[in-house]
Amino acid sequence: MTSRDFLVQLQGYGLMTAEISYYMPDHPDLLQLFVWQEYDVAPGFPVLHKFLDHWRREIEAALHSIRIAHQHLIRPAEWRAVDGVISIN
């Protein structure tokens, strides 16, 4: 059986890491950090937008900033041509 993670990568999804900084209402002077990883499609990030919409509706925390890193894990192989041959006897 093929895993869900592998199937979504074949559909063009890459691993997205979001670092979310936020304030809680009972501690407004304390900036807190939440790190979240999920497979998503750049540059639109529909999965991240759905998560942030849920955050705004259901979680009593004010968003301060969001940093995103995204990497396709399945992609064409990288290669480079090499000029020359080294013989070792």
Side-chain angles (χ1 to χ4, degrees):
M1 174 145 245
T2 308
S3 73
R4 173 203 168 269
D5 296 340
F6 181 68
L7 292 175
V8 297
Q9 288 179 56
L10 290 178
Q11 296 172 359
Y13 284 68
L15 186 62
M16 181 268 314
T17 304
E19 181 184 275
I20 302 169
S21 300
Y22 64 96
Y23 296 102
M24 292 298 289
D26 52 345
H27 299 288
D29 295 331
L30 180 63
L31 184 62
Q32 299 185 47
L33 186 68
F34 178 74
V35 178
W36 180 64
Q37 283 189 323
E38 183 62 65
Y39 290 100
D40 208 347
V41 181
F45 298 106
V47 176
L48 176 62
H49 283 287
K50 183 178 176 183
F51 176 76
L52 292 176
D53 289 341
H54 168 77
W55 182 292
R56 289 182 188 109
R57 277 191 326 269
E58 304 295 330
I59 299 174
E60 296 180 17
L63 294 172
H64 175 268
S65 61
I66 302 167
R67 292 185 350 161
I68 300 170
H70 184 268
Q71 180 66 48
H72 286 284
L73 301 177
I74 296 178
R75 60 180 176 235
E78 297 178 9
W79 67 277
R80 61 187 172 105
V82 177
D83 286 335
V85 176
I86 297 174
S87 297
I88 300 176
N89 293 332

